[in-house]
Amino acid sequence: MAARKCFGLHCVLYLCALLELVCLQESRGMLFPRESSSREVKELNGLWRFRADTSASRNEGFDRAWYKSPLATTGPVLDMPVPASYNDISQDPTLRDFIGWVWYEREVVVPSRWVQDEGTRVVLRVGSAHYYSMVWVNGVQVAEHEGGHLPFEADIGEVIRKDPAEPCRITIAVNNTLTLTTLPPGTITHMDDRTKYPAGYFVQNIYFDFFNYAGIHRPVLLYTTPKIYVDDITVSTNFLDNTGFVEYKVSIKGATTANLKVTLMDKDGHCVATSNGASGVLKVVDVSLWWPYLMHDNPGYLYSMEVRLSAADGQLQFEDVYSLPVGIRTVNVTSTQFLINNKPFYFHGVNKHEDSDIRGKGLDWPLIVKDFNLIKWLGANSFRTSHYPYAEEIMQMCDRHGIVVIDECPGVGIKDIRSFGNASLAHHLSVMDELVRRDKNHPSVVMWSVANEPAAEMPPADYYFKTLIKHTKTLDPTRPVTYITDSNYARDKGAPYVDVICVNSYFSWYHDPGHMEVIPIQLNTQFENWFGKYKKPIIQSEYGADAVPGLHSDPPMMFTEEYQKNVLKRYHSVFDEKRKQYVIGELIWNFADFMTAQGITRVVGNKKGIFTRQRQPKSAAYILRERYWRLANATGTLPLWTDTPAQTSWVTREVVRNGFHMAKRFNTRNLFSGSNRIHAEVYATLDCLTGFTESPGLFT
Ligand code: GCB
């Protein structure tokens, strides 16, 4: 099929030229739109008009310039919710599996003061659309963006001011065609055998295991800023003893100079530090650090950094105010540990997808909140954004709840050697630019993942990952970088460049199916091999088994809940050995069942979730819940005791033995009035990962 844009930017240029281009491009910020005294936000979510271009060329929309007049005047239209994938909204299988351009349109009433005031910028922002997008306002093209999962925006003030009486008509065309140079990559195969396929028949081949949902997946909105405005803010944080440091850099647009006042406020709104100027360091005495969930009594502590700009343009005065949540924390990696605030952090978490019934990958608040409740119920402290960046709204929840994130770009399914070429690499570098630009200030993000299971044994993988990882570290020197591998440890070409080895394996599933007894030996070998060669800490970044909910067998058989549970348990006993040495985390595949392409190994999607797609627990969820709460108590540095879900009633007692604080909260289930004998389990030391020691005795 012919996508009008051939994504031709990437066709012929050599890498060095492109690298230069990337660096020379005017850098722009991508601050999350927030209301303030100088900024307004207008959400454009709801029903849009919609049409898929089903013409044989898939190009009718451009040939007939559908963007020039209201969409309903050029053909039939459907109601389409935004944000949502369009695939599962209708009863039409051709729309579910559609490849090519789809067209969205709606009219917006723009407040007249926005239009009249030339000193106001009006910005149109699309949270994400999959995959290639073109945007028009009143028939004038204002934006073009390649890639899903990341935001893009356009200043539309000039267009809407041309004819203030005209309603503002926004048209967005989105094409989900994947090529060898897109991320993720894909190919189109045309079936020309007329004895088997109708004329014009083609299919899209993908090399990843989730449904290629498409459409406008995240909120579309208009927001305003003054003409002279805060364009970007970068913070990095540190602390020494009780003093925190927030190093900041503010970039402004619309003027070369402006006065800046930067104020850091604590949770109660009290000012704790101030500064002037476009860059500086804010010093916070008696700092409250940002801690992960289950590692501290008060996880996810956020300060608010208010940047107040004032500037003049001739007679006109401009003031802009932007408030950024800031968590003060550090991240470091040693050869055997992952340190947050200098304390060992053990990832006990999940891999997720943005995926649900009907909405596909569309942002949905009830789902987001439900998922966070489940994550906390589970006792998970982290997740990986497999296999693409998640909505900014989700990242903000992670900051607030202390859920640690490995932030992955859409580099999934890089399997074909042609996807290691210069055009692919150049695009991958600019996707990392966009991702780091968007997520750099989230304290929850502790590591970047540049890819999932690429063909890392192919010769070009060496240069590709060396360049990509170096580039990412240049963009953000404060966070480690990894990619997720399923390659052979001795032949993996990118592993030398990562900070943490993240390895996926499915022993007794894709290999030796049905033979769970091989797990301990194979997993042990896996860890020893990787650590032996690289001397870097290791995360088991995926493991698991499909379970069709309600399917049972004893002895366990594949696809039953018993089999899934048993696979998990066998992995866990090896993790418990190795986490005393260099294994720093375990992320189950997957949090919930999710939709995939149809195929003979998928029964209406991937069933490796410990929750169903409707977020109901399978038996494995309880195994994991029990384990994660135990791990939280064993590996979280503070508090010494945290509520396990089954125990609801507690009494606080300081127990000091040999000068050490040994426990502070006890389950009161078996307490009586008067004197009690309390049996205390004691957490071993703050900096080891050995878990519980045996109870040292009885206390009265
Ligand atoms: C993997 C992939 C993931 C798949 C999973 C599976 O290794 O990273 O995207 O869904 O295996 O279930 O096969």
Side-chain angles (χ1 to χ4, degrees), residues 209-210 353 384 387 412 452-453 486 504 506 510 542 546 589 594 602 606 608:
D209 182 37
F210 50 91
H353 264 300
R384 168 165 73 114
H387 293 307
V412 55
N452 178 68
E453 295 187 354
D486 64 344
N504 295 349
Y506 288 91
Y510 294 121
E542 284 181 29
D546 285 75
W589 190 265
F594 58 92
R602 296 288 176 256
N606 187 310
K608 292 194 186 69

Side-chain angles (χ1 to χ4, degrees), residues 270-286:
H270 298 132
C271 169
V272 294
T274 60
S275 176
N276 297 312
S279 59
V281 180
L282 298 159
K283 210 166 140 186
V284 188
V285 289
D286 276 335

Side-chain angles (χ1 to χ4, degrees), residues 282-424:
L282 298 159
K283 210 166 140 186
V284 188
V285 289
D286 276 335
V287 63
S288 297
L289 295 177
W290 186 94
W291 286 100
Y293 174 55
L294 300 179
M295 205 170 171
H296 192 270
D297 278 330
N298 190 8
Y301 190 96
L302 294 175
Y303 291 88
S304 175
M305 185 172 126
E306 183 193 86
V307 178
R308 190 171 281 268
L309 165 154
S310 51
D313 183 10
Q315 301 295 341
L316 297 173
Q317 279 294 329
F318 293 93
E319 184 169 83
D320 189 21
V321 180
Y322 188 89
S323 290
L324 179 78
V326 172
I328 301 176
R329 58 108 185 89
T330 58
V331 172
N332 287 293
V333 176
T334 72
S335 60
T336 55
Q337 289 180 319
F338 196 97
L339 304 172
I340 296 183
N341 300 337
N342 301 330
K343 306 276 187 229
F345 177 75
Y346 186 77
F347 295 79
H348 43 92
V350 300
N351 290 278
K352 290 186 92 262
H353 264 300
E354 287 182 320
D355 175 272
S356 71
D357 286 332
I358 303 170
R359 291 148 186 81
K361 292 202 178 303
L363 179 134
D364 181 49
W365 273 113
L367 181 80
I368 292 175
V369 176
K370 178 74 177 174
D371 280 4
F372 273 82
N373 287 337
L374 288 177
I375 286 170
K376 294 177 95 171
W377 176 89
L378 204 57
N381 61 4
S382 51
F383 65 78
R384 168 165 73 114
T385 68
S386 45
H387 293 307
Y388 38 79
Y390 292 177
E392 288 157 285
E393 290 81 350
I394 296 177
M395 309 306 283
Q396 290 161 7
M397 289 280 282
C398 290
D399 292 344
R400 289 179 37 238
H401 290 272
I403 302 299
V404 168
V405 178
I406 300 173
D407 202 351
E408 189 155 286
C409 91
V412 55
I414 305 176
K415 302 288 188 192
D416 188 306
I417 196 156
R418 291 168 293 174
S419 293
F420 284 102
N422 291 340
S424 298

